Amino acid sequence: MAEEVTLLDFWASPFGMRVRIALAEKGVKYEYSEQDLRDKSALLLQMNPVYKKIPVLVHRGKPVCESLIIVQYIDDVWRDKAPLLPSDPYERAQSMFWADFIDKKIHDLSRKIWTTKGEELEAAKKGFFECLKLLEGELGEKPYFGGETLGYVDIAFLPFCCGFSTYETIGNFSIEAQCPKIIAWANRCLQKESVAKSLAEPGKVHELVLEIRKSLGFD
């Protein structure tokens, strides 16, 4: 029986990229449905009537929304390959804590780097590096946040790496100079086909950000 999996997504969405990586890790075949966020489709509004946002995973006609919840769902449904969350309850809770930290901190601060200027930009840069340092501490000497294999926290964080070069250009800083372990980790992850084929090209992300900044009157 076919799995009947469809992903409603937008190519540059870091949240959508999480789902793409998880599906690739599990080897799940799916239909990709690119969405126009300025003219939301009837399908998107039907499948996510509460938030009206991507990504939405539609599995056998039933929608699952919110990227981290979707990744957890994928891990629960396709359990026979590449576990993403630890089985140990404490380790599982820690993974969920750090993924939530990325959602609440990294997402907000990285966006502020390219949507603010002056003192607000400087504050965002300071906060961004404070968060990266905390993540470096959590990574430690492990190859992945999940230990020896790619896991939930890696998937939560990796999509933001597509914007690293853009943040550096706009913010006039070097992530590698201050957080070399994060860059080494990102490069290690990019060696995996499941990651490389699921992330947006940094150059295209940069072009999109410049377009948005221009529309906001920054450039």
Side-chain angles (χ1 to χ4, degrees), residues 138-177:
E138 173 59 19
L139 179 63
E141 300 305 318
K142 303 188 298 289
Y144 304 101
F145 284 96
E148 294 302 314
T149 57
L150 191 87
Y152 191 68
V153 181
D154 302 288
I155 290 173
F157 188 20
L158 271 167
F160 294 100
C161 299
C162 299
F164 276 3
S165 59
T166 299
Y167 311 154
E168 289 176 322
T169 300
I170 294 171
N172 191 28
F173 57 72
S174 167
I175 295 173
E176 187 168 21

Side-chain angles (χ1 to χ4, degrees), residues 40 44-45 47-54 65-66 69:
K40 296 179 180 179
L44 175 59
L45 298 177
M47 291 298 167
N48 190 355
V50 177
Y51 290 121
K52 304 175 177 64
K53 293 180 178 179
I54 53 89
C65 306
E66 297 295 290
I69 294 172

Side-chain angles (χ1 to χ4, degrees), residues 7 28 33 35 38 44 47 50 67 93 97 107 110 115 125 140 143 145 165 191 194 196 199:
L7 176 61
V28 177
S33 177
Q35 299 293 305
R38 291 169 295 186
L44 175 59
M47 291 298 167
V50 177
S67 64
F97 170 86
H107 173 239
S110 61
T115 58
K125 286 161 58 174
F145 284 96
S165 59
Q191 297 303 308
S194 60
L199 297 183

Side-chain angles (χ1 to χ4, degrees), residues 128-149:
F128 182 67
F129 276 107
E130 287 173 353
C131 290
L132 290 186
K133 290 290 186 182
L134 288 171
L135 286 165
E136 273 198 325
E138 173 59 19
L139 179 63
E141 300 305 318
K142 303 188 298 289
Y144 304 101
F145 284 96
E148 294 302 314
T149 57

Side-chain angles (χ1 to χ4, degrees), residues 9-10 33-41 44 54:
D9 199 1
F10 173 64
S33 177
E34 179 76 4
Q35 299 293 305
D36 183 348
L37 303 186
R38 291 169 295 186
D39 184 17
K40 296 179 180 179
S41 69
L44 175 59
I54 53 89

Side-chain angles (χ1 to χ4, degrees), residues 6-179:
T6 301
L7 176 61
L8 310 185
D9 199 1
F10 173 64
W11 71 270
S13 168
F15 305 107
M17 291 180 220
R18 289 171 171 173
V19 181
R20 285 174 245 163
I21 295 170
L23 290 169
E25 277 287 292
K26 295 287 188 175
V28 177
K29 294 182 179 180
Y30 63 97
E31 178 184 346
Y32 180 87
S33 177
E34 179 76 4
Q35 299 293 305
D36 183 348
L37 303 186
R38 291 169 295 186
D39 184 17
K40 296 179 180 179
S41 69
L43 180 61
L44 175 59
L45 298 177
Q46 177 191 351
M47 291 298 167
N48 190 355
V50 177
Y51 290 121
K52 304 175 177 64
K53 293 180 178 179
I54 53 89
V56 180
L57 185 78
V58 184
H59 183 209
R60 295 177 181 169
K62 296 180 179 179
V64 184
C65 306
E66 297 295 290
S67 64
L68 291 178
I69 294 172
I70 296 171
V71 172
Q72 186 175 348
Y73 176 84
I74 290 168
D75 199 37
D76 288 339
V77 172
W78 292 279
R79 301 196 65 83
D80 58 335
K81 181 181 178 184
L84 304 176
L85 274 158
S87 57
D88 177 81
Y90 179 77
E91 291 180 3
R92 188 181 183 91
Q94 289 302 300
S95 292
M96 297 173 88
F97 170 86
W98 284 108
D100 183 64
F101 172 84
I102 290 163
D103 259 7
K104 289 176 177 174
K105 293 291 188 177
I106 295 295
H107 173 239
D108 182 57
L109 290 166
S110 61
R111 186 174 180 83
K112 283 182 178 178
I113 288 171
W114 56 269
T115 58
T116 62
K117 55 185 176 181
E119 291 183 4
E120 196 174 356
L121 171 58
E122 293 306 312
K125 286 161 58 174
K126 182 175 182 292
F128 182 67
F129 276 107
E130 287 173 353
C131 290
L132 290 186
K133 290 290 186 182
L134 288 171
L135 286 165
E136 273 198 325
E138 173 59 19
L139 179 63
E141 300 305 318
K142 303 188 298 289
Y144 304 101
F145 284 96
E148 294 302 314
T149 57
L150 191 87
Y152 191 68
V153 181
D154 302 288
I155 290 173
F157 188 20
L158 271 167
F160 294 100
C161 299
C162 299
F164 276 3
S165 59
T166 299
Y167 311 154
E168 289 176 322
T169 300
I170 294 171
N172 191 28
F173 57 72
S174 167
I175 295 173
E176 187 168 21
Q178 298 192 51
C179 300

